[in-house]
Amino acid sequence: MEGDPSRLGPFVIVRRLGEGGQGVVFLGEGPSGEQVAIKLLHTRLTADADARSRFLHEVALAQRVARFCTAPVLYADLAGNQPYIVSEFVPGKSLRDLVEEEGPRRGAALDRLAISTATALAAIHRAGITHRDFKPANVLMGPEGPVVIDFGVAKALDSPQTTGTGTTMGTPSYLAPELMSTGVATGSSDVFAWAVTIVYAATGKPAFGADSIPQVMHRILTSPPDLGELSGPLRDLMRVCLAKDPALRPTAEAIVAHLTGGPAIDLTPSAPGRRRKPVLLAAAVTAAALAVTAAAVITLRPSEPAGPSPTPAAALPSAAPPPSPSPRRPSATRSVRQQPAPTRSTVVPVKQALPVKTPSPSPSPTPSPSPSPSVTPTVKPTVPPTPNPRNPRGLCGWAFKIVDSHGWNGKGTTYLLVNESTGRACVVTLSTNVMPGKVRMGVSLRVQGGQNASDWRRHSTHTGPIKLPAAGKCVIWGGGYGQATWKSAWSHCGS
């Protein structure tokens, strides 16, 4: 892209791979022609000498991590105006992209993923590093198996100048409950994020959702995880790893041993000897934690949208104090430990908190003398959907003719078109209506003995087109809409 460097130190820039909250990632070549991944950091993340020194110290630790199941850090240069780090290049999609394109993992594939990523996390912890940003986007599905990347980078960049912006704190759906009150990441926090990642791989969605940040935070603090169709021993392990209390989660090394036939983790929720702390997440503590965290977390990952924009904190209603325990049910009373006030100077407290659902007080035994008058609800007029103004020929070209199609239950259609004069084939997926929010759609096209290509993304109207030369050749074409995917057999030969 325009403005991208052509060289960083001894490394030649080949092309841009992507961009995130920490910087831009490039594919590069080393002095011997080896392929490397180069992350050009945002200058604001290393704006002072202390931040640079901290980063170099963490990179030195990261270089001690075992190379299996991780992409090791090879080099770092923070001396100039373009600070960057270099790591091993792993060819392959991220776990996030793979699940979006192909759907959830199942059976032995899921087991292998859990074991390899837990092994990588154990190696990272053994080197004295906390990952702090474990998530599907940081797991690359390489040709030799899953590889964990970006370990140690988030901690290295977590200087006083960057923490307040929320740039390196993590992705909301994968934050452990304790990070929302203390902000201190530990190995237990990584285990929580690892478990949410495995649930995402198995079900196609994080264990606590991925909608608005306040709702996700509230679920993480107060609700049990949604494990979907995940079953068997792995389901029980995820439930233990997603415990609200970090002291109840196993270590990464214990998880590896459990999954590979070593000493088993006690998965019984109320097993004798399992240490339990007083309940920390009662309504009052939840409201306080959400209030403290709102300003710090809502700006997470500015370049990676995490859902609809949350309601400004100042507009949120004050949380009502929890009701006193009913004297009729003393056994329901639970102890609440006072949560210490956050000490990080960069966390901006919010005076008003999200409303928290609390148990309704016992109804009065005295009946009401008369029923309340009914209120006629106001019915809002239904807004009809807007038909998609785009069409297949307009996207592929008016010289193309539609030769086949595959429908997605009335929600959209994938079309195969052919230009008879040039022999080129074209595939495009269109939604039936203009979607108010972007929907995952995809197209794929493979020419027998020739090229193949695919395009998967989120869009409100269409994905594609893909055009390939296919004169006299058979093709495999297909695509997807939402979580559904489909592709044809070899067909339309010579058309």
Side-chain angles (χ1 to χ4, degrees):
M1 293 181 62
E2 183 178 355
D4 287 347
S6 59
R7 174 182 289 271
L8 287 170
F11 302 96
V12 176
I13 302 299
V14 178
R15 59 184 172 88
R16 177 186 285 229
L17 296 176
E19 183 174 2
Q22 297 170 349
V24 182
V25 181
F26 300 98
L27 172 63
E29 286 186 358
S32 302
E34 71 277 15
Q35 289 188 322
V36 294
I38 305 173
K39 175 170 284 189
L40 178 61
L41 303 172
H42 295 310
T43 306
R44 59 181 170 77
L45 299 178
T46 54
D48 62 89
D50 289 341
R52 290 172 183 258
S53 175
R54 181 188 182 94
F55 181 84
L56 290 174
H57 171 70
E58 294 298 333
V59 167
L61 287 177
Q63 289 176 325
R64 292 162 42 188
V65 177
R67 298 171 66 91
F68 59 89
C69 297
T70 63
V73 176
L74 306 176
Y75 182 82
D77 184 356
L78 277 76
N81 294 327
Q82 292 182 306
Y84 65 94
I85 60 174
V86 180
S87 62
E88 179 184 358
F89 173 68
V90 180
K93 300 175 182 178
S94 71
L95 176 61
R96 180 188 64 187
D97 292 340
L98 190 68
V99 171
E100 283 191 351
E101 295 179 11
E102 300 182 5
R105 306 291 90 185
R106 295 283 189 264
L110 181 63
D111 293 339
R112 286 192 294 269
L113 175 69
I115 292 172
S116 58
T117 51
T119 301
L121 190 58
I124 292 168
H125 289 175
R126 197 175 298 121
I129 295 177
T130 304
H131 192 294
R132 297 173 66 92
D133 199 15
F134 201 104
K135 59 184 180 180
N138 281 338
V139 177
L140 299 182
M141 307 301 286
E144 298 178 355
V147 174
V148 175
I149 63 173
D150 271 4
F151 51 91
V153 174
K155 183 178 179 182
L157 297 178
D158 191 11
S159 67
Q161 286 72 23
T162 62
T163 307
T165 66
T167 304
T168 64
M169 188 174 177
T171 304
S173 295
Y174 301 86
L175 288 179
E178 61 271 18
L179 288 176
M180 300 184 188
S181 56
T182 67
V184 178
T186 64
S188 292
S189 308
D190 282 348
V191 167
F192 186 95
W194 171 82
V196 179
T197 298
I198 299 303
V199 172
Y200 171 84
T203 66
K205 58 183 180 180
F208 299 95
D211 43 354
S212 72
I213 293 176
Q215 288 178 321
V216 171
M217 291 165 55
H218 183 69
R219 291 191 202 105
I220 290 174
L221 288 169
T222 64
S223 302
D226 180 3
L227 303 182
E229 297 180 359
L230 182 62
S231 60
L234 202 54
R235 181 183 182 93
D236 295 332
L237 178 60
M238 293 303 104
R239 187 181 292 110
V240 172
C241 293
L242 293 172
K244 307 298 185 188
D245 185 347
L248 298 180
R249 300 175 205 143
T251 65
E253 289 191 352
I255 294 171
V256 174
H258 177 87
L259 292 173
T260 55
I265 297 170
D266 188 353
L267 303 178
T268 306
S270 302
R274 182 179 289 278
R275 181 166 63 92
R276 294 194 177 274
K277 294 184 176 182
V279 178
L280 302 180
L281 300 174
V285 178
T286 301
L290 285 170
V292 171
T293 313
V297 181
I298 285 175
T299 56
L300 289 173
R301 297 286 181 191
S303 63
E304 300 177 10
S309 301
T311 306
L316 297 174
S318 299
S324 301
S326 172
R328 298 180 183 178
R329 300 180 62 187
S331 60
T333 305
R334 308 183 77 178
S335 59
V336 178
R337 185 173 66 186
Q338 182 65 35
Q339 187 75 4
T343 57
R344 298 174 73 91
S345 60
T346 55
V347 177
V348 181
V350 179
K351 294 182 180 180
Q352 293 175 311
L354 288 170
V356 178
K357 293 183 179 179
T358 56
S360 301
S362 301
S364 172
T366 304
S368 175
S370 59
S372 300
S374 59
V375 179
T376 302
T378 302
V379 179
K380 295 182 179 180
T382 302
V383 179
T386 302
N388 190 347
R390 298 187 177 271
N391 62 78
R393 296 185 65 192
L395 292 168
C396 291
W398 294 108
F400 285 80
K401 294 182 179 180
I402 299 173
V403 296
D404 208 342
S405 64
H406 179 85
W408 302 105
N409 296 322
K411 299 177 181 178
T413 306
T414 297
Y415 296 92
L416 172 66
L417 299 89
V418 171
N419 185 327
E420 295 178 350
S421 62
T422 63
R424 295 177 69 85
C426 178
V427 182
V428 61
T429 295
L430 292 90
S431 60
T432 303
N433 300 307
V434 177
M435 305 305 295
K438 294 183 179 179
V439 175
R440 172 183 174 273
M441 292 181 274
V443 289
S444 63
L445 178 61
R446 180 181 178 185
V447 179
Q448 192 170 29
Q451 305 176 40
N452 65 85
S454 62
D455 182 10
W456 295 83
R457 52 180 160 154
R458 294 183 178 276
H459 205 283
S460 59
T461 58
H462 72 283
T463 297
I466 288 179
K467 302 183 213 179
L468 294 177
K473 303 289 185 179
C474 301
V475 298
I476 292 177
W477 63 283
Y481 192 96
Q483 294 299 318
T485 60
W486 174 87
K487 67 178 180 181
S488 71
W490 290 111
S491 61
H492 299 285
C493 302
S495 60

